[in-house]
C-alpha cells in the first residue's frame, strides 16, 4: 500500500534527525583521531627502544629467565583481544574477533588450550552471548587508553605466565590480538606473541661473538631483565591499545560518513516519492472536480 504524503514527510524528518546525529559523531571521531594518532606515534619510539634493550639482554647475556624461556611442551596459551567499548564503528570489532578466532583455532590445532582475556565491551558481549568462558575483562577505555589500564592488563598476563605448571590458569604463551592503524583508510587486525619473548635479530645486528664486548650489565643481567621485561610487556600492550584506539576512531569516522551519505540519499528518495504522491493526489483531485462538473452539466442538460 502506498504511503501518504504526510507519512513520507514524517520519514524525511526522522531521517534528517538521524543524519544530524551521524554527522555529529563523524565530526567528533575526526576531532579525536588526530590526538589518538599522535599518542600512538609518540609511544612508538619508547616501545621500539625498550624492545631493542630487552632483546639485547635476552640475546647476549645468556640468562635463563622465565619470561624468555621457551617451554618444551606448551599446553595452554592466553589470548588478549582488544575490542571497542561502543558500536557504530563498522566492522572494527567483528574483524578483530574473527582474527582472534583464527588464532584460537590455530593454537588448538597445535594442542594448546586457550584462555581468553578481553579488553572492550564488544568483545565481552560477543563471548557472553555465545556462553564462552572469559578469564578476565577490562572496559571503559577503548578510545582513550591509559598507562594504568595497560599496567593492570600486563600484570594479570604476567602473573598467569609465571604460575607453575599445573596451577590453575597457568599459561605457557601470551598473545595479543588488536587492530593496527596503518592509515585513515586501512586498519589491519593483527596477532602478535608477547611471551615468551621472541628475539628476532635484524640484518644490522652483529653476531654474538662481535656483540659480546659491546654490552655490560649492571648490577647483573638477571636483575636487568627482572626490571625491563615487565615494562616491556606493559609498553607493548599500551602501544597495542593506542593503535586500537586510533583504528576504532578511524573506523567510526568512516562508518558515520557512510551513514550520513546514506541518509542524504534516503532523504532525496523520500522527497522525490512524496512529490510524486502529492502530484498524483492533485491530479486525482482535479480529475474528480472535472468529472463532477461534467456530471453536473450533463444532469442540467438532461433536465432541460
Amino acid at each position: 500500500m502506498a504511503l501518504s504524503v504526510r507519512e513520507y514527510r514524517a520519514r524525511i524528518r526522522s531521517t534528517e534527525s538521524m543524519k544530524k546525529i551521524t554527522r555529529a559523531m563523524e565530526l567528533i571521531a575526526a576531532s579525536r583521531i588526530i590526538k589518538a594518532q599522535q599518542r600512538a606515534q609518540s609511544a612508538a619510539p619508547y616501545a621500539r627502544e625498550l624492545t631493542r634493550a630487552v632483546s639485547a639482554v635476552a640475546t647476549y647475556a645468556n640468562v635463563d629467565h622465565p619470561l624468555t624461556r621457551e617451554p618444551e611442551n606448551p599446553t595452554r596459551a592466553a589470548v588478549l583481544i582488544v575490542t571497542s567499548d561502543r558500536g557504530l564503528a563498522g566492522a572494527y570489532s567483528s574483524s578483530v574477533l574473527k582474527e582472534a578466532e583464527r588464532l584460537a583455532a590455530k593454537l588448538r590445532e597445535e594442542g594448546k588450550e586457550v584462555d581468553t582475556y578481553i579488553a572492550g565491551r564488544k568483545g565481552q558481549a560477543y563471548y557472553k552471548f555465545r556462553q564462552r568462558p572469559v578469564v578476565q575483562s577490562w572496559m571503559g577505555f577503548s578510545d582513550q587508553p591509559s598507562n594504568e589500564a595497560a599496567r593492570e592488563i600486563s600484570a594479570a598476563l604476567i602473573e598467569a605466565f609465571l604460575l607453575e605448571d599445573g596451577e590453575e590458569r597457568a599459561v605457557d604463551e601470551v598473545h595479543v590480538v588488536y587492530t593496527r592503524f596503518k592509515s585513515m583508510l586501512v586498519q589491519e587486525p593483527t596477532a602478535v606473541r608477547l611471551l615468551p619473548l621472541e628475539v628476532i635479530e635484524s640484518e644490522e645486528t652483529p653476531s654474538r661473538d662481535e656483540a659480546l664486548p659491546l654490552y655490560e650489565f649492571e648490577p647483573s643481567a638477571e636483575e636487568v631483565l627482572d626490571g625491563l621485561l615487565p615494562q616491556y610487556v606493559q609498553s607493548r600492550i599500551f602501544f597495542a591499545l593506542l593503535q586500537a584506539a586510533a583504528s576504532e576512531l578511524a573506523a567510526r569516522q568512516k562508518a558515520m560518513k557512510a551513514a550520513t551519505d546514506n541518509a542524504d540519499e534516503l532523504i532525496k528518495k523520500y522527497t522525490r516519492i512524496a512529490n510524486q504522491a502529492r502530484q498524483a493526489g492533485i491530479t486525482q483531485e482535479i480529475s474528480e472536480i472535472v468529472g463532477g462538473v461534467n456530471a453536473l452539466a450533463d444532469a442540467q442538460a438532461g433536465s432541460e
Side-chain angles (χ1 to χ4, degrees), residues 11-73:
R11 288 193 176 190
I12 291 172
R13 287 194 296 270
S14 64
T15 307
E16 287 176 342
S17 299
M18 184 62 67
K19 176 187 170 183
K20 291 179 182 178
I21 295 173
T22 56
R23 178 61 176 165
M25 295 184 69
E26 176 190 350
L27 294 176
I28 291 172
S31 65
R32 290 181 177 177
I33 193 171
I34 302 300
K35 184 177 180 180
Q37 282 182 269
Q38 292 174 347
R39 292 188 69 194
Q41 291 172 356
S42 63
Y46 175 78
R48 183 171 56 249
E49 293 303 322
L50 186 57
T51 301
R52 287 181 180 178
V54 173
S55 298
V57 180
T59 303
Y60 304 120
N62 195 23
V63 174
D64 184 21
H65 194 276
L67 298 184
T68 60
R69 186 186 306 133
E70 290 281 353
E72 295 182 0
N73 297 308

Side-chain angles (χ1 to χ4, degrees), residues 116-135:
T116 304
Y117 294 77
I118 300 290
R121 287 189 177 89
K122 289 298 178 180
Q124 185 191 42
Y126 176 87
Y127 277 81
K128 183 179 181 180
F129 178 78
R130 288 159 180 79
Q131 297 181 350
R132 298 181 184 177
V134 174
V135 177

Side-chain angles (χ1 to χ4, degrees), residues 64 68-76 110 112 161 165 172-173 193 196:
D64 184 21
T68 60
R69 186 186 306 133
E70 290 281 353
E72 295 182 0
N73 297 308
T75 58
R76 185 181 292 271
E110 296 173 356
K112 303 170 187 173
F161 185 78
D165 291 339
D172 302 307
E173 296 177 0
R193 194 185 85 169

Side-chain angles (χ1 to χ4, degrees), residues 247-258:
S247 300
E248 177 187 347
L249 292 171
R252 180 167 291 114
Q253 181 189 9
K254 185 165 57 176
M256 291 300 99
K257 185 181 186 306

